[in-house]
Amino acid sequence: MKKILKGILALGLISFLAGCGDSLIKAENKDNSPFFNPAIEKIKSKYPNCEIYDYTSIKNLSHVDSKIRNSLIQFYTRESQEKPLSDYSKYFLIKTNENKYKIIGIDCYKEKNNSINCVPAETQDSKYLN
């Protein structure tokens, strides 16, 4: 009976610990933009096997100081609300296959032949996330 009880407690503890990770929000095309998929493809070509999240997921990175998380969220929210110089401008949080986090800004432009050109760039603030 004691072995069964210990087994159940151990299983419960493992389940609890597995569920305690950072809950990050997957990037979604909420506004149905034709630029979203090319932007994601460009990020994936530069960072293969990365996971792409909404930049607001920064607030859920428990290993980052709360003051830094809050100031980054405020900054990128303000930046996102400004009128972009490109046709599409967005920020994403990515998790690389080395388990490092990066903030990626991407600008997309519609070319004269209607093709979409996207240019990703890692922000300097990524250094605060690892």
Side-chain angles (χ1 to χ4, degrees):
M1 185 67 166
K2 284 185 178 180
K3 285 185 179 181
I4 294 173
L5 186 56
K6 284 182 181 178
I8 291 172
L9 288 174
L11 185 60
L13 179 62
I14 290 169
S15 298
F16 173 75
L17 292 175
C20 287
D22 297 322
S23 56
L24 305 178
I25 304 161
K26 289 279 188 193
E28 295 179 354
N29 190 3
K30 294 176 186 169
D31 54 356
N32 293 324
S33 171
F35 296 101
F36 180 81
N37 288 333
I40 296 297
E41 288 172 15
K42 191 66 165 187
I43 292 171
K44 287 202 174 255
S45 72
K46 187 168 182 174
Y47 301 97
N49 302 318
C50 73
E51 298 172 24
I52 303 174
Y53 301 101
D54 189 274
Y55 78 92
T56 58
S57 292
I58 294 168
K59 68 182 174 214
N60 296 329
L61 295 176
S62 58
H63 67 276
V64 178
D65 180 82
S66 63
K67 289 180 184 177
I68 292 173
R69 289 191 312 241
N70 292 338
S71 62
L72 288 173
I73 291 291
Q74 289 174 358
F75 175 77
Y76 288 108
T77 298
R78 235 183 356 264
E79 286 285 307
S80 297
Q81 292 170 347
E82 289 182 11
K83 184 163 174 42
L85 299 175
S86 59
D87 295 319
Y88 181 81
S89 184
K90 204 83 157 159
Y91 291 99
F92 295 99
L93 174 70
I94 69 164
K95 182 179 180 183
T96 66
N97 52 1
E98 296 98 25
N99 284 330
K100 299 229 181 239
Y101 292 96
K102 297 179 182 291
I103 302 169
I104 303 297
I106 191 155
D107 292 312
C108 297
Y109 307 88
K110 196 167 212 167
E111 302 289 347
K112 290 180 182 178
N113 63 0
N114 285 333
S115 66
I116 295 175
N117 182 26
C118 295
V119 181
E122 180 182 343
T123 68
Q124 293 181 354
D125 295 323
S126 295
K127 65 185 172 197
Y128 298 114
L129 302 180
N130 298 301

